[in-house]
């Protein structure tokens, strides 16, 4: 059994301590621990967090291996401090059967960089007409508990109701991509002052908010659990706040890019800023930050959406929607939430590890940094400052909106059940 001593790490941002990993488990936490028989890692005041958990990742395999594979995506995840990711179902073929989810799950296990928990499609082929085999996917080796047609909205209220009823039986959750399709036909960016000036088709806030309002009411009606993907508007925050105050079982996520970037960037016509839901206004950004701080929004999820160069390096109207995010998420959260005083590191651990693990039922993840727990850990050099250079990404894709931007913080080490997947910023 190999032993590692992490010396002088600020556990959740607290006072420096030593953490001894023995095999797959945290064996000791304390001050002045002996390094005898262990490999020592000098943390020197870096922050130690439970391994991050992403509830919303697009790994693209099977079918779009030119964008990303389970291997490259999980290497990107380990590089960003993640020990578990939930892989969205909009692959080719769609992850709507036990066979496909088991394939994705097994690839994650084989590569060993990060646990991969597949998300199952809600409807067959993401077509929104017929419920997929939710029970079979849950009972498969992949043990699916989260279901989503992400990329598309489950817009039929009857289908949504049936899905909520079905997953209730085994404690699953439906993760909704809230986008009323008719209200967003031809949409190119947020509907507002900027879209009017640029003459681009608008994606109005109400298209998101109306679906969230409907779905929290449906969840209440059937007594089931709904999760809202990538919430992006101030109005959506108000609806979720209201629903939680009524005791409705709803959780919500926000992406790093919606915490930092606004639709003003679309004036550049750089397709790297094209994303769904679109970048919103400064007012929305501020409301999202406050909601993440006060717990109305439960978690940060990346919506890591890799695209090959040719799908992004074209005119705005033709470009694919989405951004990579696994390797920059923690830095964006440090800048927008920690350095603004809205969250401390314990709060970051809660929003990026504990709660996403709980929502997705990712066993062994999001656990306290204490004796007897699985050694899923990430070490962050929070004093680091540097420009984002996509050439160094482990992801197969480079479509980041942060190229050349200075962001704080850098993950230096990641451990998955005691095995180092990232050492001194280098993948093992
Ligand atoms: Zn989505």
């Amino acid at each position: 059994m190999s032993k590692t001593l992490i010396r002088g790490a600020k556990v959740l941002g607290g006072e420096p301590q030593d953490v001894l990993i023995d095999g797959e488990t945290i064996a000791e936490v304390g001050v002045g621990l002996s390094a005898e028989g262990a490999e020592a890692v000098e943390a020197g005041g870096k922050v130690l967090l439970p391994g991050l958990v992403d509830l919303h990742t697009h790994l693209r395999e099977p079918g779009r291996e030119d964008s990303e594979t389970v291997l490259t995506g999980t290497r990107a995840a380990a590089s960003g401090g993640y020990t578990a990711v939930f892989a969205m179902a909009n692959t080719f073929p769609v992850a709507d059967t036990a066979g496909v989810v088991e394939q994705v799950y097994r690839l994650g296990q084989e590569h060993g960089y990060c646990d991969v928990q597949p998300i199952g499609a809600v409807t067959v082929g993401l077509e929104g007409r017929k419920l997929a085999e939710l029970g079979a996917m849950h009972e498969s080796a992949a043990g699916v508990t989260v279901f989503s047609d992400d990329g598309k909205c489950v817009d039929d209220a009857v289908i949504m109701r049936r899905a909520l009823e079905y997953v209730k039986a085994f404690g699953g959750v439906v993760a909704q991509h809230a986008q009323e399709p008719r209200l967003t036909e031809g949409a190119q960016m947020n509907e507002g002052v900027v879209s009017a000036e640029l003459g681009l088709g608008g994606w109005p806030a109400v298209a998101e908010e109306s679906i969230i309002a409907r779905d929290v009411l449906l969840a209440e009606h059937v007594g089931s659990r709904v999760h809202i993907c990538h919430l992006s508007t101030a109005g959506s925050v108000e609806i979720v706040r209201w629903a939680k105050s009524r005791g409705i079982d709803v959780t919500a996520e926000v992406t790093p890019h919606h915490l930092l970037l606004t639709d003003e960037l679309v004036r550049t016509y750089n397709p790297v800023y094209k994303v769904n839901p679109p970048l919103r206004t400064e007012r929305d950004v501020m409301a999202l930050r406050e909601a993440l701080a006060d717990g109305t929004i439960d978690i940060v999820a990346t919506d890591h959406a890799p695209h090959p160069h040719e799908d992004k390096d074209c005119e705005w109207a033709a470009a694919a929607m989405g951004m990579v995010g696994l390797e920059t998420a923690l830095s964006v959260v440090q800048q927008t939430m920690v350095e603004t005083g809205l969250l401390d590191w314990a709060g970051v651990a809660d929003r990026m590890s504990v709660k996403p693990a709980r929502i997705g039922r990712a066993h062994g993840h999001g656990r306290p940094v204490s004796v007897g727990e699985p050694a899923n850990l990430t070490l962050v050099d929070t004093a680091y400052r540097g420009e984002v250079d996509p050439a160094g990404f482990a992801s197969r894709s480079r479509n980041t909106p942060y190229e050349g931007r200075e962001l704080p913080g850098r993950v230096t080490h990641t451990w998955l059940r005691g095995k180092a997947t990232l050492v001194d910023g280098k993948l093992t």
Side-chain angles (χ1 to χ4, degrees):
M1 288 289 242
S2 71
K3 289 186 183 181
T4 306
L5 183 73
I6 308 167
R7 200 185 266 140
K10 295 179 183 166
V11 178
L12 306 189
E15 289 303 309
Q17 285 185 298
D18 303 339
V19 174
L20 181 69
I21 302 171
D22 188 353
E24 299 188 352
T25 311
I26 298 172
E28 276 188 83
V29 180
V31 178
L33 298 185
S34 163
E36 204 182 311
E39 187 189 340
V41 172
E42 300 299 335
K46 292 176 192 168
V47 170
L48 188 68
L49 301 174
L52 306 182
V53 177
D54 190 18
L55 201 64
H56 191 146
T57 304
H58 296 275
L59 291 178
R60 304 298 193 212
E61 187 175 2
R64 283 307 302 264
E65 291 84 354
D66 57 331
S67 310
E68 196 80 284
T69 64
V70 174
L71 177 61
T72 60
T74 52
R75 284 170 62 88
S79 181
Y82 288 86
T83 53
V85 298
F86 284 73
M88 274 297 174
N90 61 340
T91 49
F92 302 93
V94 170
D96 58 2
T97 61
V100 179
V101 295
E102 281 181 350
Q103 178 195 353
V104 173
Y105 175 76
R106 266 199 304 269
L107 284 169
Q109 294 291 308
E110 278 167 30
H111 299 316
Y113 281 96
C114 176
D115 285 348
V116 175
Q117 184 54 61
I119 292 174
V122 175
T123 67
V124 173
L126 307 178
E127 286 175 352
R129 289 199 282 274
K130 185 167 171 280
L131 273 193
E133 302 165 2
L134 310 187
M137 287 188 274
H138 176 67
E139 282 155 24
S140 75
V144 177
T145 58
V146 182
F147 296 88
S148 183
D149 276 2
D150 183 60
K152 289 185 177 172
C153 181
V154 180
D155 64 310
D156 184 314
V158 174
I159 298 279
M160 188 63 183
R161 174 186 178 160
R162 291 213 183 104
L164 287 166
E165 285 169 341
Y166 202 105
V167 301
K168 186 184 168 185
F170 53 80
V173 64
V174 179
Q176 175 69 290
H177 169 115
Q179 176 181 3
E180 210 294 316
R182 292 273 290 144
L183 285 171
T184 51
E185 277 173 18
Q188 295 283 329
M189 66 171 294
N190 179 50
E191 180 180 299
V193 175
V194 182
S195 69
E197 282 181 33
L198 300 180
L200 290 173
W203 197 134
V206 67
E208 175 172 305
E209 293 156 7
S210 57
I211 293 291
I212 297 174
R214 182 200 75 178
D215 287 353
V216 295
L217 292 172
L218 281 173
E220 179 179 48
H221 183 65
V222 307
S224 188
R225 202 155 68 95
V226 68
H227 176 77
I228 311 298
C229 295
H230 44 52
L231 187 148
S232 72
T233 78
S236 297
V237 167
E238 288 309 306
I239 294 163
V240 171
R241 194 172 277 138
W242 171 85
K244 287 189 167 184
S245 76
R246 267 172 84 90
I248 296 171
D249 203 353
V250 56
T251 52
E253 72 191 32
V254 63
T255 69
H257 47 271
H258 287 112
L259 291 172
L260 180 61
L261 309 176
T262 71
D263 64 353
E264 289 292 331
L265 290 164
V266 180
R267 293 183 190 280
T268 64
Y269 288 104
N270 185 342
V272 82
Y273 300 118
K274 188 173 175 185
V275 65
N276 188 11
L279 301 177
R280 303 289 188 182
T281 67
E282 187 72 17
R283 181 178 155 267
D284 295 304
V285 167
M286 292 305 155
L288 294 168
R289 289 183 187 181
E290 271 177 38
L292 183 63
D294 72 22
T296 302
I297 294 176
D298 302 80
I299 65 168
V300 174
T302 66
D303 194 5
H304 177 80
H307 290 292
H309 188 64
E310 58 272 24
D311 289 1
K312 276 301 221 183
D313 191 29
C314 51
E315 64 178 274
W316 181 272
M321 296 190 190
M323 310 168 164
V324 291
L326 286 168
E327 293 172 82
T328 48
L330 192 57
S331 291
V332 175
V333 171
Q334 181 176 337
Q335 176 166 323
T336 58
M337 300 300 294
V338 180
E339 297 190 351
T340 54
L342 288 166
L343 277 185
D344 58 15
W345 286 105
V348 172
D350 180 74
R351 308 306 196 272
M352 297 185 78
S353 178
V354 178
K355 292 242 173 73
R358 194 177 296 160
I359 293 167
R361 308 220 192 287
H363 299 296
H365 293 277
R367 303 291 305 161
V369 181
S370 52
V371 174
E373 296 289 352
N376 294 317
L377 297 166
T378 186
L379 189 62
V380 193
D381 177 2
T382 57
Y384 176 87
R385 291 284 182 288
E387 285 184 6
V388 175
D389 178 10
F393 283 176
S395 171
R396 181 160 284 180
S397 291
R398 299 281 179 270
N399 51 306
T400 174
Y402 310 117
E403 180 171 5
R405 185 186 279 257
E406 188 180 289
L407 289 177
R410 188 173 79 104
V411 175
T412 62
H413 294 70
T414 308
W415 289 272
L416 176 64
R417 284 182 291 280
K419 179 185 161 252
T421 54
L422 186 79
V423 175
D424 290 325
K426 292 188 183 65
L427 289 156
T428 57

